[in-house]
Amino acid sequence: MIANIVKPGHNTRGVLNYLYGPGRANEHTDPHLVASFDGFAPDPGRDPDATLAQLSAVLDLRVKQAGHKAPKNHVWHCSIRAAPEDRHLTDDEWATIARRVLNATGISPAGDPDACRWVAVRHADDHIHIVATKVRGDLRPPRNWNDFLHTDKELVAIEKEYGLRQVPRGDRTAAKRPTRAEQEKARRTGTTRTSREHLRTIVRTAVSAATTTEEFFRIVEGAGALIDVQYFPSGDVRGYKVALNNDTNAQGEPVWFSGSTLAADLSYPKIAERLAATEASPANQTETPAWRRLSIAIDRTPDHLADADSEDEAGQAHIAALAEALDALPLVGPVGLQVQLMQAATAFERAGRSRIRAHHQQAQVTRRAVKAILREPAPKDGTLLATVLDALLLAVVAAQHWHRIRGNTQQAEAASQAAEHIRVTYRAVAAETLAVIHHRGRRLVRSLLDRQATVVRQALPDLADQILAEPAWPALAATLSHTTTVSHDPAALLARAARHRELDTATNLSEVLTWRLNRLVKLPESPSNNATDQTSPALASPSSLQRHTR
């Protein structure tokens, strides 16, 4: 069950008009009371002699008695919705649920004769609306602080007792959803996303690309957004707000959003903390191409997340850096795959933060590599991109497990959705590269295939028969053969690749092991990887970021 407690209002009659009316799309059917504060409130839906004016007057009685002492916004309005797959609850069951929620929130504690007046209205099979006026019988306001948290906790118990779907619970770190007005505005203007969602993507992508706060501001502005930076009297940056160039209010002024209203981790202090944790790349790493550094760093993420001795703050830092990698990839990925990469980044955005405060210094290596790939040309072939995506897929699955065992159900679900998008993208990227490796494998003479088959039986005796029967086996054989040319023991390397991650969920062992060998050994790379002194088109042209965040 999901509860939605709207901002308190001042017009009781107006709320009742909506609840008993036809709805915005004539979706309201048979509106009627299922319960009320005393069981005798007039019901305009079932009693032909009852009117909305009478019901409103009954609810507002104590508000009028309190006079100027009554809160200005005295209407408390909460909707409670069952999951689509849940059975249809009876009116009596909904009445019990309403009373339990009102008791939990403090609006109407059980057995309290001075509790607030309320009604529960049902106009659909799957949900009810509770309307209460926030003045008690002693003319004092109710003690209903943290009403959403108390409601949510009570609904968890109700789901279990009634045998309903147990909805994944959040931890209040999710990005704020677009309002109905923002959604309606997007529909009127013919855009697929609201301004809030568009700006969130721009800012997140800019954070993944920038190395300093000054560069962050420049990238956001270059992506087609307005930015207003606020300063303390000392001259230090206090915060920022952003708006889209073509998004204005009724007065023709830009509609601004502060970073914190886009997402909890996009406030200026949080962004500055992340950028400050990204130090200059050590000299001994600059000789390694950025794409390979990124692949190696991401490949180690599951180990960091599985380390029992590692602090949760370090694990959260690695997941946040993983989110930055996904935010950056649409800027440098092939044009035909950018939509899928964007979907993966958008899905994983929710998994990138939790109530655990990230120690961003723990993920410097990954974050530096992410920023570096945006400053050198993307690989001309798909080998390195496929290798990175393969590592990303394992890391995202590890993040899903990490969140699940900590009870972060929304984050775990977001990681699962992102993994599906990455899997589709990986298969598309890997198809061409694997075709080349398959061709190389088919050209191997029988003696070489037999030699590599012996290697497989020696390294993986329990899996050898399955691997040798797979269509992708020649590709793995060609890769094993190539490892000998770079002075590696193929049997030891294959055993290491198999131990590196579990293989129980793999549908094609040969393909999985082929890519793991590519990550473990420096196999052929794109010839463009040596051009580390060039500027990536993603950063050279501000319009690139604007194009990929639409």
Side-chain angles (χ1 to χ4, degrees):
M1 285 188 155
I2 296 176
N4 180 34
I5 300 175
V6 302
K7 186 177 180 180
H10 64 278
N11 188 349
T12 307
R13 175 65 182 272
V15 176
L16 294 176
N17 284 342
Y18 168 72
L19 298 184
Y20 278 92
R24 293 183 173 88
N26 294 315
E27 73 275 19
H28 295 176
T29 59
D30 187 24
H32 61 278
L33 293 185
V34 295
S36 65
F37 66 98
D38 63 355
F40 298 102
D43 183 5
R46 293 288 176 84
D47 183 355
D49 296 326
T51 66
L52 289 175
Q54 290 174 336
L55 180 58
S56 178
V58 167
L59 290 175
D60 280 340
L61 176 63
R62 290 172 178 170
V63 176
K64 294 187 178 301
Q65 290 174 342
H68 68 278
K69 293 184 179 180
K72 179 180 179 182
N73 294 317
H74 59 269
V75 182
W76 187 84
H77 179 193
C78 171
S79 63
I80 304 174
R81 185 178 299 273
E85 62 270 28
D86 285 338
R87 63 181 175 84
H88 288 175
L89 300 173
T90 66
D91 281 359
D92 288 342
E93 287 175 318
W94 277 119
T96 300
I97 291 170
R99 292 188 180 96
R100 289 180 61 168
V101 167
L102 288 160
N103 175 63
T105 59
I107 295 288
S108 180
D112 184 355
D114 286 330
C116 297
R117 294 191 166 202
W118 59 271
V119 292
V121 179
R122 184 179 189 179
H123 55 212
D125 290 331
D126 62 349
H127 71 278
I128 60 169
H129 291 258
I130 304 172
V131 180
T133 46
K134 295 173 59 177
V135 178
R136 290 168 42 83
D138 53 15
L139 303 186
R140 293 187 293 113
R143 300 172 63 88
N144 67 311
W145 296 288
N146 290 326
D147 49 4
F148 178 80
L149 292 179
H150 292 132
T151 298
D152 205 46
K153 184 178 179 179
E154 187 65 26
L155 291 181
V156 171
I158 290 171
E159 289 169 350
K160 294 178 181 177
E161 294 175 25
Y162 283 67
L164 306 176
R165 178 192 171 192
Q166 296 183 31
V167 177
R169 256 54 205 191
D171 56 5
R172 306 188 78 180
T173 63
K176 185 176 180 181
R177 295 179 180 178
T179 64
R180 181 183 292 274
E182 292 169 2
Q183 293 172 340
E184 292 292 341
K185 186 175 185 179
R187 279 192 284 270
R188 288 197 308 271
T189 56
T191 55
T192 57
R193 292 187 298 170
T194 65
S195 296
R196 184 191 300 273
E197 293 168 317
H198 190 171
L199 288 166
R200 184 183 300 134
T201 301
I202 289 177
V203 173
R204 289 190 63 84
T205 308
V207 171
S208 71
T211 55
T212 65
T213 53
E214 292 78 10
E215 186 180 22
F216 163 73
F217 293 142
R218 289 198 301 271
I219 293 175
V220 170
E221 190 171 22
L226 303 174
I227 187 162
D228 180 16
V229 183
Q230 292 96 41
Y231 297 90
F232 288 110
S234 63
D236 296 328
V237 176
R238 183 179 55 142
Y240 74 97
K241 56 184 180 179
V242 289
L244 293 180
N245 269 316
N246 56 353
D247 184 26
T248 57
N249 57 22
Q251 291 72 42
E253 301 166 336
V255 179
W256 295 99
F257 295 86
S258 65
S260 60
T261 61
L262 297 178
D265 58 344
L266 296 182
S267 65
Y268 176 77
K270 295 290 182 63
I271 291 175
E273 179 184 359
R274 288 158 70 180
L275 296 180
T278 309
E279 299 173 352
S281 181
N284 62 351
Q285 286 193 7
T286 55
E287 296 179 359
T288 305
W291 281 87
R292 182 155 295 282
R293 296 208 310 272
L294 180 61
S295 174
I296 293 170
I298 294 176
D299 195 46
R300 291 171 179 164
T301 298
D303 294 328
H304 292 306
L305 296 179
D307 185 358
D309 297 327
S310 177
E311 296 180 349
D312 282 355
E313 290 81 0
Q316 184 62 56
H318 286 291
I319 293 176
L322 196 61
E324 291 186 26
L326 287 166
D327 287 332
L329 281 181
L331 295 177
V332 291
V335 174
L337 299 174
Q338 285 166 359
V339 172
Q340 197 70 241
L341 289 170
M342 278 290 299
Q343 290 173 335
T346 301
F348 195 76
E349 183 263 344
R350 179 68 188 97
R353 59 180 174 271
S354 69
R355 299 291 290 180
I356 300 170
R357 184 181 178 88
H359 287 172
H360 292 294
Q361 295 83 353
Q362 303 292 328
Q364 288 183 14
V365 173
T366 304
R367 189 170 284 108
R368 284 197 299 262
V370 170
K371 298 179 189 306
I373 67 169
L374 296 174
R375 288 164 171 78
E376 67 176 50
K380 292 182 180 179
D381 61 44
T383 304
L384 272 180
L385 179 57
T387 303
V388 168
L389 288 172
D390 188 27
L392 272 171
L393 180 57
L394 288 171
V396 168
V397 171
Q400 177 187 354
H401 177 70
W402 189 89
H403 277 306
R404 180 175 290 117
I405 63 178
R406 285 160 180 78
N408 300 332
T409 53
Q410 286 189 353
Q411 288 89 337
E413 177 61 26
S416 175
Q417 294 174 9
E420 288 304 312
H421 291 297
I422 297 171
R423 189 173 286 110
V424 172
T425 311
Y426 158 73
R427 288 171 180 165
V429 173
E432 181 178 350
T433 303
L434 281 174
V436 174
I437 300 177
H438 276 292
H439 179 68
R440 189 190 307 156
R442 286 192 294 269
R443 292 171 56 189
L444 290 179
V445 297
R446 172 53 58 184
S447 60
L448 286 177
L449 280 173
D450 291 342
R451 188 183 309 166
Q452 301 309 326
T454 302
V455 170
V456 173
R457 293 189 183 281
Q458 174 187 345
L460 306 173
D462 296 336
L463 301 174
D465 289 341
Q466 179 180 345
I467 292 172
L468 297 178
E470 290 176 343
W473 153 239
L476 176 59
T479 305
L480 285 169
S481 178
H482 187 74
T483 62
T484 61
T485 66
V486 287
S487 304
H488 280 280
D489 178 354
L493 197 65
L494 186 61
R496 180 184 168 193
R499 291 194 306 270
H500 198 50
R501 300 281 183 274
E502 57 86 20
L503 292 170
D504 295 340
T505 59
T507 57
N508 191 321
L509 296 178
S510 300
E511 184 177 311
V512 171
L513 291 170
T514 296
W515 286 112
R516 291 187 186 179
L517 290 174
N518 272 275
R519 293 208 306 274
L520 292 173
V521 184
K522 191 173 182 179
L523 295 179
E525 300 172 353
S526 167
S528 64
N529 281 334
N530 293 325
T532 57
D533 58 340
Q534 299 183 39
T535 302
S536 164
L539 292 184
S541 173
S543 63
S544 176
L545 178 57
Q546 184 179 13
R547 181 172 65 254
H548 295 303
T549 52
R550 282 176 181 162

